[in-house]
Amino acid sequence: MEGESALTVSLEELGLSRYEARAYVALITKGTMSAGDLAFYSEIPRAKIYSTMKKLASKNLAITSNTKSAMVCTAVRPEDAFDGIIHEQIQKVTAMNALVADLKNISEMNRRAGDSEEKRYMQIGTGSVLPKLQEMTISAEASIIITADDGGLGLLSGCRDQLLAAQKKDVRIRCVIPHGEVCSEPHRALPRGVETRASHGVSGSCIVFDGTDVMILDGADGRGAVFESAPTLGSAHTAIFEKMWSESTPVDVLADMAPEDARQICRIISTTGAGGLQYLLGEMARADPRNGDGGDGDGNGNSGHAARLYGLLERDGIAPDSKRPLGEVLDMFDAIMQIMCSGSACMDARGRNVTIESPQNSSSSLPWVSMLEGCLRGRGYAIRTVRQNNTSPKHGDTGERFHIRIDKN
């Protein structure tokens, strides 16, 4: 018990609540448990156990599922659960060390040179931020990388002409924005060709020009700071940006959608990732009967997976509205397929068959097919799904294709 108490305290220091820490230690110690057993072994009040289990699942520390008699919970392996947190902390420390070193060098140079030499760091007042941002944008030669919260995105929308001028010089411009800003007016003001992705991790605004010049914006008061010719600082922020970029959701394909539809698609992708998609995908890939000559989407293990995947959306209140026309729902899944595996989803002219295609042969489209199956069943359709490999005319000799035959029950 003393060892478990020490572990609990350590987990609290990593950001878990006391109940979350107790529950995770109990799951690691005892294995998979029902909600009642978990409440007993972790000494958590029964009134709090279900919310605690859901919070662990949302933080990718546990996986929950419902049986006929109770909700059960399984801990995610520590090396999987905390790997991302560890790397994030390492990157923050690395970036902080680089920032301190760069500031120290700038301070030393300014101390030696005195007032006769131009300073490489300057603070910018609210009224000067936009002109300086426009100046630095049009001066870029190779790349601009941007992390922008709502305030930063608003400033960028005032740099449209400068961004277009930079694009004409073949400057690559990439931008990560919050999910809540997808298809907002400032987002749509960005020129086509500005590569845009969405992330939950955006908490400020930072722009790096050509890897060396850095502008940091303060969203609270509209002021900024500029570090010119600061390659060390630029490299540190570039490393942080590249990690965020690799883990964020591409949203260029959503540019012409209604804002709420675009944000719902982002929430669906984010929720499935945080809610155990990779775990379920592994189970499905090992036990998928829909291969080769085809298989029945009803009456087998995958109907259960379809219900579980679709249940992730219903649990978080982001499942497509049952009153929404089926064509609009398929448009959403088509956008998801484009984003997640460069694929597509469409219905034939008679409205009897849905075809889902992907250029990849790695079952990457399987979870989204199963999720669509769950959606169709929820609308009262009887379905039959057939899977084909290496037969996609759209993608040459590689890829996978699913045909979902739909009939009203």
Side-chain angles (χ1 to χ4, degrees):
M1 180 63 69
E2 183 177 347
E4 291 183 6
S5 177
L7 290 174
T8 299
V9 172
S10 297
L11 288 173
E12 289 180 49
E13 292 175 353
L14 281 178
L16 274 66
S17 70
R18 180 169 300 179
Y19 287 164
E20 291 166 1
R22 286 183 186 176
Y24 186 78
V25 171
L27 289 169
I28 289 293
T29 305
K30 302 293 184 180
T32 300
M33 285 187 282
S34 67
D37 289 341
L38 182 56
F40 174 78
Y41 285 110
S42 60
E43 299 180 358
I44 296 174
R46 281 184 171 269
K48 299 290 186 180
I49 193 63
Y50 289 100
S51 61
T52 301
M53 292 167 67
K54 290 179 180 179
K55 288 178 181 178
L56 285 178
S58 70
K59 294 180 179 181
N60 202 30
L61 297 176
I63 297 170
T64 62
S65 59
N66 291 310
T67 66
K68 292 182 178 179
S69 58
M71 177 183 285
V72 297
C73 192
T74 303
V76 174
R77 295 184 307 173
E79 59 268 32
D80 295 330
F82 294 99
D83 184 66
I85 296 175
I86 292 171
H87 283 291
E88 181 180 352
Q89 295 300 321
I90 291 174
Q91 285 195 326
K92 287 182 178 179
V93 171
T94 301
M96 187 177 297
N97 286 333
L99 174 60
V100 171
D102 203 59
L103 291 174
K104 182 179 178 181
N105 289 336
I106 293 171
S107 176
E108 184 66 21
M109 286 188 296
N110 286 337
R111 186 185 64 79
R112 290 197 303 263
D115 294 335
S116 62
E117 184 175 320
E118 181 183 358
K119 294 184 178 181
R120 296 192 176 197
Y121 160 73
M122 63 175 142
Q123 291 183 336
I124 309 173
T126 304
S128 302
V129 169
L130 181 57
K132 185 62 177 178
L133 178 57
Q134 293 172 334
E135 173 194 327
M136 296 179 75
T137 299
I138 205 167
S139 299
E141 297 294 336
S143 68
I144 303 174
I145 57 174
I146 306 162
T147 306
D149 58 15
D150 55 346
L153 194 57
L155 280 170
L156 282 173
S157 66
C159 297
R160 180 178 175 83
D161 292 342
Q162 290 74 24
L163 291 168
L164 286 169
Q167 286 180 321
K168 289 180 180 179
K169 296 189 296 182
D170 293 326
V171 175
R172 185 185 184 191
I173 307 172
R174 292 181 290 163
C175 183
V176 179
I177 64 176
H179 280 97
E181 291 299 315
V182 174
C183 288
S184 64
E185 288 187 16
H187 175 207
R188 287 183 168 173
L190 298 180
R192 295 279 182 157
V194 174
E195 302 170 54
T196 310
R197 296 189 177 187
S199 171
H200 284 301
V202 178
S203 58
S205 296
C206 178
I207 309 169
V208 182
F209 303 86
D210 296 328
T212 60
D213 297 338
V214 181
M215 174 178 276
I216 299 174
L217 303 175
D218 186 341
D221 58 16
R223 294 185 299 176
V226 173
F227 300 81
E228 295 182 303
S229 300
T232 303
L233 182 61
S235 296
H237 280 289
T238 298
I240 294 172
F241 174 87
E242 293 295 350
K243 184 177 187 299
M244 182 179 292
W245 180 262
S246 67
E247 296 174 351
S248 54
T249 303
V251 294
D252 293 336
V253 71
L254 307 178
D256 296 324
M257 283 191 165
E260 185 53 40
D261 289 347
R263 292 165 193 163
Q264 184 177 12
I265 288 171
C266 289
R267 290 195 297 269
I268 288 172
I269 292 172
S270 176
T271 297
T272 51
L277 174 61
Q278 295 304 318
Y279 172 78
L280 291 176
L281 174 58
E283 286 188 356
M284 294 161 64
R286 289 190 293 271
D288 178 32
R290 296 173 296 194
N291 294 301
D293 297 332
D296 192 348
D298 290 321
N300 58 45
N302 277 301
S303 62
H305 289 307
R308 293 167 70 186
L309 282 167
Y310 190 65
L312 292 174
L313 306 188
E314 293 184 316
R315 182 193 68 190
D316 287 276
I318 57 174
D321 188 345
S322 59
K323 297 180 181 179
R324 182 190 288 264
L326 182 57
E328 293 183 9
V329 174
L330 287 175
D331 286 343
M332 295 177 64
F333 275 94
D334 181 62
I336 290 172
M337 288 295 297
Q338 292 182 58
I339 291 170
M340 299 305 295
C341 48
S342 303
S344 63
C346 62
M347 180 182 286
D348 65 12
R350 297 179 301 165
R352 298 291 300 277
N353 291 282
V354 177
T355 299
I356 295 180
E357 291 185 287
S358 169
Q360 305 169 14
N361 244 348
S362 59
S363 297
S364 58
S365 55
L366 183 56
W368 307 108
V369 172
S370 291
M371 191 175 288
L372 178 56
E373 289 175 341
C375 179
L376 292 170
R377 286 195 182 93
R379 289 169 173 257
Y381 289 104
I383 65 172
R384 176 181 173 84
T385 304
V386 177
R387 176 181 182 177
Q388 296 175 309
N389 287 330
N390 300 319
T391 58
S392 174
K394 182 176 179 180
H395 301 294
D397 294 330
T398 62
E400 58 190 4
R401 175 193 285 175
F402 292 83
H403 298 285
I404 305 177
R405 174 63 179 262
I406 58 177
D407 294 291
K408 274 291 185 181
N409 278 329

